[in-house]
Amino acid sequence: MTSTQVHTPSTGKYTQPTGLFINNEFVKSVDGKTFETINPATEEVICSVSEATEKDVDIAVAAARKAYEHVWRKETPENRGKMLVNLANLIEKNADLLAAVERSTTERLSGWQRLTYYGGWADKIEGKVIDTNPDTFTYTRQEPIGVCGQIIPWNFPLLMWAWKIGPAIATGNVVVIKTAEQTPLSGLVAASLIKEAGFPPGVINIISGFGKIAGAALSSHMDVDKIAFTGSTVVGRQIMKAAAGSNLKKVTLELGGKSPNIVFDDADIENAISWVNFGIFFNHGQCCCAGSRVYVQSGIYDKFVERFKARALANKVGDPFDAETFQGPQVSQLQFDRIMGYISEGKKEGATVVTGGERHGDKGFFIQPTIFSNVTEDMKIMQEEIFGPVCSIAKFETEEEIIATGNNSTYGLAAAVHTTNLNTALRVANNIRAGTVWVNSYNLLHHQVPFGGFKESGIGRELGEAALSNYTQCKSVSIRLGDALF
Ligand code: TXE
């Protein structure tokens, strides 16, 4: 059996593929191993899926290598683009089902539009002619890297799937993508559309499995040319070590964050509260770019904290299938426990609980939207990524001070500034060391706009034209036109 019947409240029964997707077929793992997927809202088992071990990784990588050498390298850029657009269209056709599957494990469906965007790039990858002297003709080619391993997390399963596959395939690579052990289902449903989209066997391979086994095998594999990873900074370091200790495969990383969200006295306060609320509580705080450090200038601090509390209390927490719900469950018991651990640490360290601070209900991994005020820079809840619905607020006085405090982090993924003064906005945006800065907004990610980290938040950029360079390598070809030099 490589599929099973699963029920969702919005679509009823559907057929869930459960095998490993290798060479355009769903297959069982070599050892026949499986693992369970849990519904975080009910803590019940949804189904079991095949678990990839080293042997399965070897098989998937061999399939990808064969496809790359014999088929994919010979495919035209135009056809690569067409296949990506076909896949995007098929995903759109199945959007209701995919949304339901996502909601069973995380919450939201998004991201498939990126495939259309990267389909458009496939036939626009160009080199240059470089004029060095009249006797030489030199040009460059942007060539694919080859077999790419891709390891994705559980916070946006299909979005991450599309972010990784789009630029890799558009530029002529083949992929073996490992989904997160908490959320393998939507990636497998989307995999069932790959053959219909026209991709030859072995070009896109999707495996389910654990990080320490399948993920480690992929990142240390001698025949994987590049590894792209999204996840924790701790594992990002392990991926780099694995690459260094094996074949020095190319590495790109999209890691954690502790992003400052800065509100000046002259901000439109209601607007700022809406974005601060969205910045931290969207996807239950399970966002790498979550605005988890909120700094408010002293003139409006008290008013801001009071109104933000009212706003957070109005966020409906509960069933992800209820249209009114703003915040669903955390992904797993482990994440729930980690976040509750940070909350009790914040209380112990002396921060003030403005609202929340407890579990929501008694079933499922739900946590109340939590705001801490009077948080100091040395507290763990101001320094470490919590990855949950927990916000730390502190007061500031001057622009100079807040630029220094905003940069007081080992991370540098995102930041925001709220002000009605254009000069303040631009000065802060220019001086904050982060890959993305939003002004009077938050979380406005767009597939045309590069996204990625400064400092320990990552290496490389996803989205936009910038992501293409994660998956190409430059070759220079020089042709001597004149007589021999020597
Ligand atoms: O992440 P992991 P976890 C952060 C966030 C969260 C924390 C822990 O702070 O609380 O990480 O989450 C695979 N070799 N982010 O434990 O372990 C794993 O199977 C190769 C931020 O879930 O990094 C999964 O597919 N792969 C983040 C992926 O790595 C390994 C999103 C992420 O898991 C591996 C998620 C190994 N040794 C968590 N160990 C973001 N940047 O958005 C694990 N994996």
Side-chain angles (χ1 to χ4, degrees), residues 114 117-118 163 167 445-451 461-468:
R114 278 83 186 160
Y117 171 77
Y118 282 109
W163 279 26
L445 293 168
H446 194 279
H447 55 269
Q448 290 169 256
V449 182
F451 179 76
R461 290 291 175 274
E462 305 210 72
L463 304 182
E465 185 180 358
L468 301 171

Side-chain angles (χ1 to χ4, degrees), residues 151-155 178-182 209-212 215-216 219 229-233 235 238-239 254-256 287-288 334-335 338 385-387:
I151 299 175
I152 57 172
W154 40 263
N155 51 340
K178 189 198 85 63
T179 52
E181 52 269 39
Q182 299 84 350
F210 290 89
K212 285 199 172 113
S219 52
F229 171 75
T230 300
S232 62
T233 298
V235 173
Q238 290 169 12
I239 302 271
E254 203 263 273
L255 307 173
C287 284
C288 47
L334 189 71
Q335 283 302 115
R338 286 192 69 213
E385 182 175 53
I386 299 176
F387 225 60

Side-chain angles (χ1 to χ4, degrees), residues 373-448:
S373 66
N374 300 318
V375 186
T376 53
E377 284 301 297
D378 55 339
M379 291 184 190
K380 262 196 182 160
I381 57 168
M382 197 55 118
Q383 288 299 326
E384 295 182 16
E385 182 175 53
I386 299 176
F387 225 60
V390 182
C391 177
S392 301
I393 311 188
K395 197 184 285 185
F396 74 93
E397 300 293 338
T398 67
E399 183 183 318
E400 196 186 9
E401 170 202 342
I402 195 52
I403 288 170
T405 313
N407 286 331
N408 180 28
S409 172
T410 53
Y411 293 114
L413 193 56
V417 50
H418 303 266
T419 173
T420 45
N421 184 322
L422 184 62
N423 292 354
T424 309
L426 291 179
R427 276 195 305 267
V428 175
N430 287 348
N431 286 295
I432 285 287
R433 279 181 282 139
T436 294
V437 181
W438 290 290
V439 177
N440 295 329
S441 58
Y442 209 91
N443 278 337
L444 295 185
L445 293 168
H446 194 279
H447 55 269
Q448 290 169 256

Side-chain angles (χ1 to χ4, degrees), residues 20 22 28-30 51-61:
L20 308 172
I22 300 173
K28 286 184 181 170
S29 57
V30 173
E51 182 198 332
T53 62
E54 289 88 344
K55 294 174 210 157
D56 302 293
V57 170
D58 283 344
I59 292 169
V61 170

